[in-house]
Amino acid sequence: MPSSTFSHTASASAPAATIWDSLQDAETWVGFGLMDAVTNPVVHDGRLVSFDWTATAAGSRHRGTATVGASVPGEHMVLELDSSEIAATSTVTLLSEADTSAITVTLAARSRGLLAGMFWGVVSDALERGLPRQVDQFAARF
């Protein structure tokens, strides 16, 4: 199965602790990548565990799940994203710089379905081109 990995760093005008707290709210993830809605969040002891998401891509609605993987509070959060065509691991790394932070997002995506595999070059190019803008917009929210 084809796969690709991309990374981008952007500046946020909030400290890492504030951003970390926001990452525990599933609604924070709306607009991250192609996610246009999140539902069914599961939170345990104040920490986000999982949520369902939907995204519109190539004129179709796609549904998936997000599960929080290995994370270190205030430093990095790993989201395991799963859908019928594509699976991905998105790692958000926070680095405090006084009252601001650097947010680095690393996206490792792989095809799961026949259609995504057949068109992986196009999918991969779209992910690579879109990531910097999406990370910049995500960071600007903090």
Side-chain angles (χ1 to χ4, degrees):
M1 299 214 186
S3 64
S4 302
T5 301
F6 311 104
S7 187
H8 182 72
T9 301
S11 295
S13 44
T18 300
I19 296 168
W20 174 263
D21 289 344
S22 294
L23 296 179
Q24 305 314 304
D25 179 358
E27 288 296 320
T28 297
W29 297 97
V30 172
F32 182 78
L34 299 175
M35 286 185 248
D36 53 25
V38 298
T39 57
N40 305 317
V42 175
V43 177
H44 182 67
D45 290 334
R47 293 193 49 191
L48 185 63
V49 174
S50 65
F51 57 88
D52 297 330
W53 54 267
T54 58
T56 303
S60 299
R61 291 267 305 150
H62 301 274
R63 298 185 188 286
T65 59
T67 304
V68 177
S71 300
V72 175
E75 293 182 17
H76 72 272
M77 184 173 195
V78 176
L79 276 185
E80 300 293 342
L81 304 167
D82 196 22
S83 71
S84 61
E85 288 292 324
I86 297 173
T89 300
S90 183
T91 304
V92 177
T93 303
L94 306 172
L95 181 60
S96 282
E97 300 169 346
D99 290 337
T100 64
S101 299
I103 299 176
T104 300
V105 176
T106 302
L107 178 68
R110 57 205 170 280
S111 71
R112 292 195 58 217
L114 180 63
L115 194 57
M118 288 174 41
F119 294 100
W120 190 253
V122 173
V123 171
S124 180
D125 287 347
L127 292 171
E128 183 176 27
R129 281 192 316 274
L131 186 67
R133 178 184 48 79
Q134 293 165 0
V135 174
D136 289 346
Q137 289 174 344
F138 189 65
R141 294 172 23 195
F142 300 107

